[in-house]
Amino acid sequence: MMNVSASAPGGFVHPALFYRGQAEYLAGVGGFVRAALAADEPVLVAVPAPRLESLRDSLGVDAAEVTWTDMTQLGRNPGRILAALQEFADRHAGRPARIVGEPIWPGRTQAEVLEATRHEALINTAFAGRGATILCPYDVPGLPAAVVSDARRTHPTVIVEDKNLPSAEYADPSVVWADCDRPLPEPDGSVPRFGYTHGELGEVRAYTGAWARGTALSTARRGDLIIAVSEAAANSLAHGGGSGSLRLWSTDGTGVVAEIRDGGHLADPLAGRRRPSLASANGGRGLWMIHQLCDLVEIRASDTGLTLRMHMTCA
């Protein structure tokens, strides 16, 4: 059984499990889950579907005691993962939660990996002081070396060949967050920019709707795109200097991208990644909704303002 130190009361443990092959995966993650069940601790397993089914089979009757989630669905947009983990822990307040989360798997795009790396860093901020253990498996042979290297920066401890070791490369979450602010690639060809200011949200919605009708998005997803763009534009007017600009483009017929630029700043890196309270005076509900609607959300901050890219697939 894998040696993972459980969280102490009021403490948080966040190890990366570096595995090679199915046998190591089942031994490591399965051992972690069995230890949690033996201690009568609530367990959430959020991993890609093929791994999920193998784990269920290996656990046998114990699988019925586990909460299972397909990470390829939950984590399609990495910005949605953190809230789900926190909500699971909140449902079991007063008990040390055990969670398996695998947000990066072979086949992820570079943009998705970057946002998932932000997520891994922000876990340490969001769960600081909480009695929980979150184990994050990494497929060493299947992932680029840079991804494995970043995992050492986002996890205080790493597990290699059943050895639980401190990570000498672990970095402050704010440092990793800043390192992920890499320049966004420009779309192919010229894309028109639609400017807006106070009183023009209706025009933003109409412009987006007219453009979306020429894409392969379903009727429902066109509606989602209009809502997401409207929420982003409303944030520009309220927090981004009172004006902004919108660009819309397609990606080889497989998806669409909406980009909002304004003069705003993101004071809280966790904004939109955790469910805002209805009583909260700090807002954040618009960005939360955008994360729920979109398949990928990219945010870049600079001295001159904020860029928000919202991706939706047409499938």
Side-chain angles (χ1 to χ4, degrees), residues 15 51-52 70 107 145 162 187 237 272 277 288:
R51 298 295 195 191
L52 186 148
D70 180 0
D162 205 30
L237 302 181
S277 167
W288 159 264

Side-chain angles (χ1 to χ4, degrees), residues 202-266:
E203 287 83 346
V204 171
R205 287 191 286 266
Y207 179 82
T208 304
W211 180 86
R213 283 193 290 273
T215 71
L217 288 174
S218 67
T219 301
R221 289 302 272 161
R222 290 201 299 268
D224 290 342
L225 178 66
I226 293 169
I227 293 171
V229 169
S230 181
E231 290 293 336
N235 277 347
S236 293
L237 302 181
H239 310 292
S243 65
S245 66
L246 166 67
R247 292 196 300 174
L248 298 161
W249 67 91
S250 296
T251 55
D252 300 325
T254 62
V256 302
V257 181
E259 178 190 89
I260 293 284
R261 290 191 180 187
D262 58 40
H265 300 279
L266 191 65

Side-chain angles (χ1 to χ4, degrees), residues 1-8 12-18 24-25 27-36 39 41 97-100 132-137 155 157-165:
M1 186 174 294
M2 187 179 63
N3 178 26
V4 179
S5 300
S7 59
F12 175 55
V13 179
H14 184 208
L17 168 64
F18 294 153
E24 283 192 15
Y25 188 87
V29 178
F32 176 81
V33 173
R34 289 188 183 93
E41 294 175 350
R98 293 254 197 153
I99 297 170
V100 181
T133 303
I134 301 180
L135 176 72
C136 301
H155 295 78
T157 59
V158 296
I159 301 167
V160 184
E161 297 180 349
D162 205 30
K163 294 184 177 65
N164 198 342
L165 306 169

Side-chain angles (χ1 to χ4, degrees), residues 22-311:
Q22 181 85 336
E24 283 192 15
Y25 188 87
L26 295 178
V29 178
F32 176 81
V33 173
R34 289 188 183 93
L37 295 176
D40 194 30
E41 294 175 350
V43 185
L44 167 66
V45 175
V47 300
R51 298 295 195 191
L52 186 148
E53 294 304 324
S54 298
L55 282 168
R56 274 179 169 158
D57 291 343
S58 71
L59 289 170
V61 295
D62 289 337
E65 304 301 316
V66 177
T67 300
W68 301 93
T69 299
D70 180 0
M71 185 60 96
T72 62
Q73 297 299 315
L74 168 64
R76 185 178 187 128
N77 173 14
R80 290 199 293 255
I81 302 172
L82 183 58
L85 305 190
Q86 288 189 303
E87 287 169 9
F88 177 80
D90 289 343
R91 289 199 301 272
H92 302 280
R95 301 173 65 195
R98 293 254 197 153
I99 297 170
V100 181
E102 189 168 4
I104 303 177
W105 56 87
R108 279 287 218 185
T109 68
Q110 184 176 3
E112 291 169 347
V113 168
L114 199 60
E115 295 307 314
T117 299
R118 286 188 196 263
H119 156 76
E120 287 280 53
L122 292 174
I123 283 178
N124 299 296
T125 298
F127 276 84
R130 298 195 64 165
T133 303
I134 301 180
L135 176 72
C136 301
Y138 280 80
D139 181 355
V140 174
L143 294 171
V147 172
V148 178
S149 178
D150 278 340
R152 294 183 180 276
R153 301 181 69 222
T154 57
H155 295 78
T157 59
V158 296
I159 301 167
V160 184
E161 297 180 349
D162 205 30
K163 294 184 177 65
N164 198 342
L165 306 169
S167 175
E169 292 85 8
Y170 178 69
D172 186 275
S174 63
V175 173
V176 177
W177 172 271
D179 289 345
C180 289
D181 260 353
R182 300 172 190 171
L184 292 169
E186 281 296 305
D188 295 332
S190 177
V191 177
R193 193 177 298 276
F194 181 85
Y196 57 88
T197 188
H198 287 293
E200 295 181 347
L201 276 180
E203 287 83 346
V204 171
R205 287 191 286 266
Y207 179 82
T208 304
W211 180 86
R213 283 193 290 273
T215 71
L217 288 174
S218 67
T219 301
R221 289 302 272 161
R222 290 201 299 268
D224 290 342
L225 178 66
I226 293 169
I227 293 171
V229 169
S230 181
E231 290 293 336
N235 277 347
S236 293
L237 302 181
H239 310 292
S243 65
S245 66
L246 166 67
R247 292 196 300 174
L248 298 161
W249 67 91
S250 296
T251 55
D252 300 325
T254 62
V256 302
V257 181
E259 178 190 89
I260 293 284
R261 290 191 180 187
D262 58 40
H265 300 279
L266 191 65
D268 180 9
L270 290 169
R273 291 177 178 259
R274 52 186 176 189
R275 185 188 295 273
S277 167
L278 293 176
S280 173
N282 297 324
R285 284 180 284 276
L287 192 51
W288 159 264
M289 187 177 297
I290 289 166
H291 272 294
Q292 303 313 302
L293 292 171
C294 298
D295 295 314
L296 177 66
V297 177
E298 299 177 281
I299 300 175
R300 296 293 185 272
S302 70
D303 293 337
T304 58
L306 207 64
T307 300
L308 174 65
R309 279 193 185 176
M310 300 163 282
H311 300 247

